[in-house]
Structures are given as C-alpha cells and as structure tokens.
C-alpha cells in the first residue's frame, strides 16, 4: 500500500513538474510552448494524484499516521525528482 | 521591499549564529532514530538470535530469574527481542526507601535465557541524548540553550519561507554547474521539501522542553517547593494500573496470561509488565506490537491472581487534552511508532535538515568571500568561520565515528568507560575544529575540506573492519544469521564512507581557485 502511494506521489509530482515550462523544456524540448489547457490539465492531474495518494494512506493507516507517511513520501520523492530532472532529464517520461 | 530586506538579514543571521549547534542537534538527533540499533552494535557481547525468539520457552525461565533477583520489587518488566527491539532484557523496580531503590536491569541471551554481561556504554541513546543535554552542561542550562537554538531555527525557517519568492515555481529546481546558484538551489530544496518535518521537529522540540524553559508558569501557581514536585509527578508519573491491596496472594504463571493475550490480540508480544507482583491486586500487562496508530504498542491487562481480563478503558488513566497534545507531539518528534520504512524517512529528513544548515553556512561564506575580496578586507574573521565550518560539517561525523572506535578499543574494565566513549567523541571533534588553525601556515580552504573528507571516508570505511577485528559479529557472520540490524549498521557505515569519498573527488576535480567564485547578482534575486 505504502509503495503504491509512493509511486503515485512520484508520478503526480512528475506530472506537476511537466506543467512548468522550465521543466518541460528539460524533458521534451519540442514542447516548450504548451497550450493553457495542457498545463492546466497537467496541474489538475498532478494535484488529484497527490490527493489520491493521501487518501490511500489515510484509509490504510488512519489520519495521524497516514498524513505522516504522506508528508514523508512527498519529501523524498520530490527530492528524488529534483535530482532526476537535473541529472537525467531524458530518463523522465 | 524594505520588509524583504530585513527578512533576508534576519534569515542570514538567525541561521548562521547557532548553525554549528543546530547542525550538531540535527545529526545526533537523527542518529537517535536508530538508537536501539546503534546500542546493539555497541554491545557485541549479545549473541545473535538463532531463528525465532521462543516466548513460550523463555517467559517461565525469565519469570523465575526475576523472582530470584528481585523478590521485593513492586514492578517487573520483560522486554523481548521482537520487532525493532534487539534486546532480551529484564527490568525490575525496587520501591523507594529500600537501600537499592529504583530501576535495575539485566540483559539475557535471547537463545538460552542465560544472563550476559555487556560492556558499559551509553550506546545509541547516549548519542541521541546529546542533542538536548549537550553532555557537559547542567540539564536545565542545556535545555535552555537547545531551546534557544530551536527558536533561532524556527525564526530562520519562517523568514526563509518569506524571502523565498518562488517557493512553488522552484519546487523541483536544481541547476548544476552554476556555482553559487547551485548552492542556493540545493539550500532551497533541502529547506522547502522537508519543511513539514522541519517545522514539526523544531516546534515539538520546543514544546518537549517547555518544562525547563516555561518554568515560570508552573512556578507562579505552585511555587518552587514541594508542591511543584507534586504537580510534575501528577502529570508525568505513569500511574500504577491499580493500587496494591497490601494482601499477599500468589499470581498465576505469566505464561498463562501470555497464552490468553496471543489468542485475544494480533501481533507479537513485545513486553510483559507486572505491577505489584505478589499482591492480590497485581496487574499483568501484555504489550503487543501495535498495527496502527501513533503509539508503539497496544496493551492487554489481566488480573494476576485470577487471570481475568481487565477492561482496558477503566485502567488507562484519564488524561487532559493538554497532556494528549503533549504526548502526540512527543510521539511525532521521537517517531517511536515508526516501522522501518517510516523510520528511514525520519532519518533522511533529519539528515536533510543538517545538510540545509551546512549549505546555508557555505552560502554565507561564499558570499562573504567575494565581498571581502572586492573590498580588500582582512580575511582573518572569515577564515575563522570557514575553519569552524569545516571542523563541524565534516569534523562532527568524524567525531561520531570516534565514538564507535572508542566503544571497541577502550578496555572493557576501564572505570567510567561509558563516559570516556563520549569524551572521545568531543575530544575528536575539538581536534577537528582546531585542525584548520593548528599549522602556522594557513591552508587553502579547499585542502582543508579535502583533508577532513578523506579522514571521514577513512574512518567510516574502517568501522566494519574494526567490527571484524574486535568481535565475532562481522558482516558475513551477521548475514549468515540474518541479523539485519548488524548487517545494516556495517553497510551504512560503508555508504557513509562512499559518500565522503565521492564528495572528496568532486571537490578535488575542481580547479584550485576557480571553485567557489560567484556572481553577486545571484544573491540579490
């Protein structure tokens, strides 16, 4: 359960990062300019993914522990993503 | 704009002034998340467990042993090597007033149940306690100093969030090979991403020490005399589950209650506690490893004489809301509920906090270096700060390694051995702090960093070898027995050594002086 939530968190953050021009440029240079519906869609997908991960954890672990897991997972996955975007942007997607 | 500038000033100085102490607190506090594991490694006399721990066989023997050791104890406690705990320990409490009143303990061989003598060490708990008792200072003073540091940390965090203009836009942003910008990005990442952890740990840390720092409030209602003591006892003392009746009555063997507990609850039994053994109102408490929630255990209670289950709700003392908040914050801070995965998250977040402080200090130095060079100022003060930074950022990990070396190399029968281990830590740290200033000729900063990085890599790589030479519990043996605590400890030491050597080569490959140059424009962002 935790592992799934962690993967969902990571992917959602990745999607969120793609909604930003700066990071989209790193990953897929051709898509530098994106229509607003795409960035908004990516944002929506990313945030709903994060909420979904939170829901999974809260259901599995209860409010107190679920939120602790969620924040902890957010921290490490976001850090991993930041390093990934910087060192190996092409690996992503 | 003026407000932002004042916040930048506040962030810079609130962060820098106690940065060394905060770094020390973050590192030793993080190590505390593995306190039992560290203690286990530091007591190689404890044999490795063969297969599973056999409760049914060990409980009756342990009960007998406790009756021999402590016929007049008013509380007995058995801790089993289950879950995170690597120890099989007996505890007993002799009531106050007796010549040896207080808690006593004995460690047992988890395979045979025979008592074992372990070397004196403060272990992981000693390491972890450093982050609020500072070892050499009186407790109250240490609490005040660490609380002050936590307050500075809180100020630095809040002002840091205020001055960070693009906190969400730069959420994943790390630009490499940009000199100062790279340091800035890394500092931001390390500050922003674990921010929930940082806020929680700093705030709860302050609350945990409030009985030292906010002493004026209880004193104003209870005075400084006996009444204050009573008020504290009322809040903190774990109440006995049921007052003793004073009538002696033989209790059932503990194994009976154990058998009932494993039928009733799920999970492994981690401890057995007996209140007022031998009394007709004695209570047996069986602790199972908790499956959910912030607490570490869930417990079942039994009447020791009849073996009847007692209602948990009647026994759990009613706590006020304030006490509950305090306990929750304490549990969050200490992460006592955390299973291995979450424990690693805690540990990594703690290390990220330490790295945030280190990168912040490095940023300060880099900026000053440029300013000083431009203005042609005397660089002695700056050199002092830089030297102390090297001696802390790299020197402290070296000092902690020396704690492990002292544990294995000091003679086992040395008087006050445990405190010499900690003295060893602080002496080594002092040497590392003095190292930049020892030689008459000033060294280049780069060579200082390189030297200490190399020492750090060397000492950490040496720890598994030290383990092999001074005990029979080296990695291969531990792997064979599937003792993951011992395997994990040695492997993690190698990971640390590898990180230091990686940092060494990264730094060495830079040209000697072009390394830390920077553009001033980066800072006015």
């Amino acid at each position: 359960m935790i592992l799934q939530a962690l993967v969902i968190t990571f992917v959602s953050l990745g999607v969120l990062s793609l909604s930003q021009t700066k990071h989209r440029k790193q990953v897929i240079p051709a898509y530098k300019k994106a229509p607003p519906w795409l960035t908004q869609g990516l944002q929506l997908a990313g945030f709903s993914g994060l909420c979904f991960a939170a829901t999974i954890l809260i259901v599995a672990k209860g409010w107190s522990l679920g939120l602790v897991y969620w924040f902890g997972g957010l921290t490490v996955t976001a850090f991993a993503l930041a390093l990934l975007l910087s060192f190996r942007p092409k690996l992503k997607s | 704009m003026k407000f932002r500038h004042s916040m930048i000033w506040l962030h810079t100085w609130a962060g820098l002034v106690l940065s060394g102490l905060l770094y020390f607190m973050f590192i030793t506090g993080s190590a505390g998340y593995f306190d039992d594991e560290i203690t286990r490694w530091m007591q190689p006399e404890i044999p490795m467990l063969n297969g599973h721990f056999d409760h049914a066989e060990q409980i009756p023997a342990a009960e007998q042993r406790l009756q021999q050791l402590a016929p007049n104890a008013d509380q007995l406690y058995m801790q089993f090597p289950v879950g995170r705990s690597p120890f099989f320990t007996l505890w007993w409490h002799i009531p106050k007033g007796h010549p040896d009143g207080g808690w006593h303990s004995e460690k047992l061989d988890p395979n045979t149940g025979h008592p074992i003598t372990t070397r004196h060490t403060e272990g992981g708990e000693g390491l972890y306690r450093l982050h609020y008792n500072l070892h050499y200072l009186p407790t109250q003073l240490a609490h005040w100093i660490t609380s002050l540091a936590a307050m500075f940390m809180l100020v630095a965090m809040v002002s840091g969030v205020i001055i960070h203009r693009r906190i969400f836009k730069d959420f994943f942003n790390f630009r490499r090979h940009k000199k100062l910008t790279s340091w800035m990005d890394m500092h931001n990442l390390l500050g922003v991403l674990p921010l929930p952890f940082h806020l929680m740990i700093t705030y709860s840390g302050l609350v945990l020490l409030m009985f030292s720092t906010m002493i004026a409030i209880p004193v104003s209602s209870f005075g400084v005399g006996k009444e204050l003591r009573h008020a504290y006892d009322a809040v903190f003392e774990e109440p006995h589950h049921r007052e003793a009746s004073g009538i002696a009555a033989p209790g059932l063997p503990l194994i009976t209650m154990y058998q009932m507990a494993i039928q009733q609850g799920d999970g492994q039994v981690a401890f057995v506690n007996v209140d007022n053994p031998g009394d007709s109102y004695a209570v047996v408490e069986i602790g199972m490893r908790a499956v959910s929630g912030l607490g570490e255990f869930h417990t079942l209670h039994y009447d020791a004489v009849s073996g009847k289950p007692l209602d948990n709700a009647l026994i759990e003392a009613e706590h006020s809301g304030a006490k509950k908040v305090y306990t929750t914050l304490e549990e969050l801070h200490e992460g006592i509920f955390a299973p291995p995965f979450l424990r690693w998250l805690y540990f990594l977040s703690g290390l990220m906090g330490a790295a945030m402080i280190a990168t912040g200090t490095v940023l300060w130095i880099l900026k000053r270096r440029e300013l000083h060079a431009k203005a042609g100022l005397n660089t002695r003060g700056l050199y002092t700060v830089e030297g102390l930074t090297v001696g802390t950022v790299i020197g402290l990990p070296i000092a902690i390694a020396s704690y492990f070396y002292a544990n294995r190399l000091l003679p086992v029968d040395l008087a006050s051995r445990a405190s010499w281990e900690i003295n060893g830590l602080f002496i080594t740290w002092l040497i590392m702090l003095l190292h930049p200033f020892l030689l008459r000729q000033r060294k280049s900063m780069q060579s200082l960093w390189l030297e200490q990085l190399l020492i750090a890599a060397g000492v950490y790589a040496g720890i598994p070898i030290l383990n092999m030479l001074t005990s029979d519990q080296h990695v291969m043996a531990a792997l064979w027995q599937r003792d993951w605590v011992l395997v994990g400890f040695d492997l993690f030491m190698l990971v640390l050594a590898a990180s230091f050597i990686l940092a060494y080569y990264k730094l060495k490959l830079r040209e000697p002086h072009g390394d830390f140059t920077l553009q001033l424009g980066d800072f006015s962002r």
Side-chain angles (χ1 to χ4, degrees):
Chain A
M1 227 20 159
I2 301 164
L3 193 67
Q4 281 98 317
L6 212 61
V7 173
I8 294 170
T9 312
F10 184 73
V11 173
S12 315
L13 287 174
V15 168
L16 276 180
S17 78
L18 288 180
S19 76
Q20 289 180 298
T21 320
K22 181 165 55 194
H23 295 305
R24 205 169 44 244
K25 223 161 51 180
Q26 288 174 306
V27 181
I28 339 167
Y31 282 84
K32 197 168 142 189
K33 280 226 170 99
W37 61 264
L38 181 60
T39 53
Q40 277 164 14
L42 285 171
Q43 274 174 2
L44 188 70
F47 280 118
S48 7
L50 290 183
C51 292
F52 183 52
T55 319
I56 293 181
L57 288 171
I58 290 166
V59 167
K61 298 270 165 189
W63 276 99
S64 43
L65 208 49
L67 285 177
V68 175
Y69 269 98
W70 188 68
F71 277 123
L74 213 53
T75 298
V76 282
T77 48
F79 194 68
L81 182 67
L83 295 184
L84 186 68
L85 281 171
S86 176
F87 283 81
R88 294 272 182 282
K90 295 291 175 294
L91 266 182
K92 192 75 186 79
S93 84
Chain B
M1 209 54 207
K2 201 128 193 259
F3 174 69
R4 226 177 91 80
H5 275 297
S6 63
M7 283 295 126
I8 290 176
W9 181 90
L10 186 65
H11 182 75
T12 309
W13 295 103
L16 182 79
V17 169
L18 292 178
S19 59
L21 177 59
L22 281 168
Y23 182 81
F24 171 77
M25 287 164 71
F26 264 87
I27 293 278
T28 50
S30 303
Y33 288 123
F34 291 110
D35 55 349
D36 277 352
E37 288 80 353
I38 294 173
T39 310
R40 167 70 188 92
W41 188 89
M42 292 176 87
Q43 293 185 326
E45 292 86 359
I46 303 173
M48 286 185 271
L49 182 61
N50 291 318
H52 284 288
F53 181 75
D54 190 351
H55 286 87
E57 193 192 318
Q58 299 293 354
I59 289 177
E63 189 180 5
Q64 215 173 14
R65 176 91 191 140
L66 272 173
Q67 277 160 358
Q68 267 173 29
L69 284 167
N72 51 359
D74 65 351
Q75 195 176 350
L76 305 174
Y77 189 92
M78 299 176 190
Q79 178 195 9
F80 304 120
V82 154
R84 223 194 117 217
S85 155
F87 307 114
F88 182 20
T89 316
L90 303 180
W91 302 81
W92 62 96
H93 185 260
I94 306 284
K96 279 175 200 158
H98 281 266
D100 50 351
W103 280 103
H104 303 271
S105 70
E106 183 178 78
K107 286 215 167 82
L108 301 183
D109 182 328
N111 301 309
T112 62
H114 294 311
I116 38 178
T117 339
T118 50
R119 61 187 63 196
H120 289 287
T121 177
E122 298 270 338
E125 209 186 326
L127 197 57
Y128 141 86
R129 261 193 247 121
L130 293 179
H131 87 280
Y132 58 87
N133 76 3
L134 306 176
H135 195 64
Y136 294 109
L137 299 179
T139 318
Q140 292 293 321
L141 183 63
H143 287 181
W144 272 90
I145 294 175
T146 46
S147 293
L148 187 72
M151 214 65 201
F152 272 68
M153 176 82 190
L154 210 55
V155 168
M157 269 190 296
V158 173
S159 56
V161 169
I162 293 172
I163 63 176
H164 191 7
R165 267 191 192 151
R166 298 179 306 196
I167 202 159
F168 290 111
K169 275 199 170 157
D170 282 352
F171 207 73
F172 308 110
N173 205 14
F174 178 55
R175 286 158 285 182
R176 287 191 300 152
H177 308 307
K178 291 273 174 69
K179 286 159 187 158
L180 197 77
T181 316
S182 305
W183 283 99
M184 193 83 209
D185 282 347
M186 191 42 91
H187 183 62
N188 287 341
L189 283 179
L190 292 169
V192 171
L193 299 180
L195 195 63
F197 173 82
H198 291 161
L199 281 172
M200 179 278 287
I201 210 74
T202 313
Y203 181 73
S204 58
L206 276 171
V207 172
L208 289 185
L209 294 182
M210 72 181 176
F211 290 96
S212 293
T213 48
M214 300 281 174
I215 189 75
I217 296 170
V219 164
S220 68
S221 9
F222 297 107
V224 286
K226 256 193 176 158
E227 267 186 79
L228 183 67
R229 191 71 261 158
H230 286 313
Y232 270 29
D233 284 350
V235 178
F236 279 114
E237 224 160 57
E238 287 292 318
H240 270 304
H241 297 300
R242 199 158 66 169
E243 287 306 317
S245 66
I247 306 160
L252 288 171
L254 291 178
I255 193 76
T256 321
M257 269 71 84
Y258 165 78
Q259 242 106 30
M260 284 194 280
I262 50 172
Q263 305 256 314
Q264 199 181 338
D266 50 347
Q268 289 175 293
V269 171
F271 70 83
V272 171
N273 177 53
V274 187
D275 279 350
N276 304 313
D279 189 275
S280 67
Y281 269 15
V283 174
V284 175
E285 180 187 15
I286 310 267
M288 325 272 277
R289 288 221 301 137
V291 186
S292 61
L294 287 182
E296 193 178 8
F297 306 110
H298 70 98
T299 51
L300 298 165
H301 298 89
Y302 299 94
D303 187 301
V305 179
S306 68
K308 260 198 285 186
L310 299 172
D311 193 354
N312 283 346
L314 285 178
I315 287 171
E316 295 297 330
E318 281 292 313
H319 289 316
S320 65
K323 172 87 194 276
K324 270 187 195 145
V325 170
Y326 186 87
T327 318
T328 306
L329 282 175
E330 186 181 11
E331 281 165 349
L332 270 177
H333 187 97
E334 294 169 7
I336 49 171
F337 54 86
F341 171 72
L342 196 57
R343 195 158 284 277
W344 277 99
L345 289 188
Y346 260 96
F347 179 70
L348 290 177
S349 302
L351 289 191
M352 283 165 99
M356 169 187 70
I357 296 163
T359 49
T361 317
V362 167
L363 270 170
W364 186 88
I365 291 171
L366 295 182
K367 192 185 173 189
R368 290 307 117 149
R369 205 188 265 175
E370 179 83 346
L371 285 174
H372 279 227
K374 249 189 192 154
L377 292 172
N378 186 344
T379 55
R380 185 176 294 161
L382 186 60
Y383 184 86
T384 311
V385 177
E386 291 198 66
L388 292 176
T389 302
V390 180
T392 305
V393 172
I394 314 296
L396 178 63
I398 297 174
I400 291 175
S402 79
Y403 182 57
F404 301 140
Y405 279 85
N407 172 260
R408 292 304 176 84
L409 297 179
L410 288 177
V412 173
D413 51 358
L414 181 72
S416 59
R417 184 177 192 288
S419 59
W420 273 108
E421 287 177 7
I422 295 189
N423 291 342
L425 186 155
F426 282 102
I427 293 168
T428 313
W429 192 14
L430 191 67
I431 295 171
M432 289 300 136
L433 283 172
L434 290 177
H435 162 239
F437 312 100
L438 281 180
L439 297 173
R440 189 73 57 75
Q441 199 182 9
R442 272 202 211 173
K443 298 181 175 188
S444 84
M445 256 318 131
Q446 194 186 14
S447 69
L448 274 181
W449 281 101
L450 287 176
E451 278 168 24
Q452 294 218 0
L453 278 170
L454 204 57
I455 298 172
V459 289
Y460 276 101
I463 285 177
I465 301 167
L466 173 80
N467 189 16
M468 206 176 285
L469 295 176
T470 55
S471 82
D472 54 355
Q473 301 186 332
H474 51 86
V475 189
M476 296 319 283
L479 257 178
W480 184 250
Q481 295 279 359
R482 302 184 185 184
D483 192 321
W484 302 121
V485 169
L486 289 172
V487 174
F489 188 97
D490 276 6
L491 286 187
F492 188 69
M493 294 300 123
L494 291 180
V495 169
L496 285 177
S499 331
F500 285 121
I501 206 78
L502 187 73
Y504 174 82
Y505 278 110
K506 281 252 165 193
L507 188 58
K508 199 181 165 74
L509 287 177
R510 299 220 177 128
E511 63 267 44
H513 271 291
D515 53 352
F516 284 157
T517 47
L518 52 115
Q519 294 85 40
L520 265 183
D522 290 334
F523 250 92
S524 45
R525 264 203 298 129

